[in-house]
Amino acid sequence: LLIWPAGVKAARAEAQAHPTALRLDPQPNDNSSEFVEIVQADTGKFLQALVTGPGIAVVSAGPRILLAHKSYVEVFSRDGQKQGEILGVPVCYSNTSELIVMRGDTDRSVAVFDLKSSEKLDEFTFGSKIDYARFSEDGRRLLVLTNDQTAYVLNTSVGHAETAVKP
């Protein structure tokens, strides 16, 4: 991903040069919009362009592009085809397993979704507020640290708490 503030002249010129760019900001402006180019890393081949608006974070997640809005995430393929939408606030994602963790209804719960299908796989609720969550490198486990200083290791492939460690 190449991300430029839309206020940069070169970014505006690139956005105009790509009339097929996905326009996610209907009224882009110099202060809050970004021009995003998706290129193939090994060849530099142009795949797609996006123009985003204020409050939208663009993340490369394995073979997918995630556009994180305030209360939902849009999932796109590398060539810019929209594949789904997931409601909630994103917490973390795994490139390896193509899973994303979204904050649940409260700050004590999270839900695990499949990025390929946007399907909710499981939901976990804890005794106190979640302070931190990250996937293992292989994407099969999720570490969750809560405000009461409890650490949970969740096996995301079977959807149950595998280990709970309290200091």
Side-chain angles (χ1 to χ4, degrees), residues 28-132:
N29 67 61
D30 293 351
N31 298 322
S32 60
S33 299
E34 293 179 326
F35 174 71
V36 180
E37 271 188 298
I38 304 169
V39 297
Q40 195 167 327
D42 57 346
T43 65
K45 178 185 172 198
F46 171 83
L47 299 175
Q48 182 57 274
L50 309 168
V51 179
T52 67
I56 300 174
V58 181
V59 178
S60 174
R64 309 202 191 294
I65 303 296
L66 307 179
L67 299 180
H69 301 261
K70 187 175 182 177
S71 61
Y72 65 99
V73 171
E74 291 178 285
V75 181
F76 289 85
S77 64
R78 289 272 177 199
D79 64 359
Q81 300 299 311
K82 186 171 180 178
Q83 296 180 319
E85 192 170 289
I86 302 170
L87 295 178
V89 177
V91 176
C92 64
Y93 64 90
S94 168
N95 285 335
T96 312
S97 63
E98 293 196 62
L99 298 176
I100 188 169
V101 172
M102 305 291 280
R103 183 155 321 270
D105 294 335
T106 71
D107 60 1
R108 297 181 316 117
S109 66
V110 292
V112 179
F113 288 84
D114 183 333
L115 285 172
K116 292 175 267 192
S117 65
S118 299
E119 176 186 350
K120 183 194 275 188
L121 301 177
D122 212 333
E123 190 163 357
F124 301 95
T125 302
F126 304 94
S128 71
K129 179 181 174 280
I130 298 163
D131 286 335
Y132 179 85

Side-chain angles (χ1 to χ4, degrees), residues 138-164:
D138 65 6
R140 294 179 6 183
R141 290 184 177 77
L142 176 67
L143 170 67
V144 177
L145 302 176
T146 59
N147 195 259
D148 66 357
Q149 299 198 10
T150 302
Y152 297 89
V153 178
L154 306 173
N155 184 338
T156 57
S157 61
V158 296
H160 67 272
E162 185 176 83
T163 307

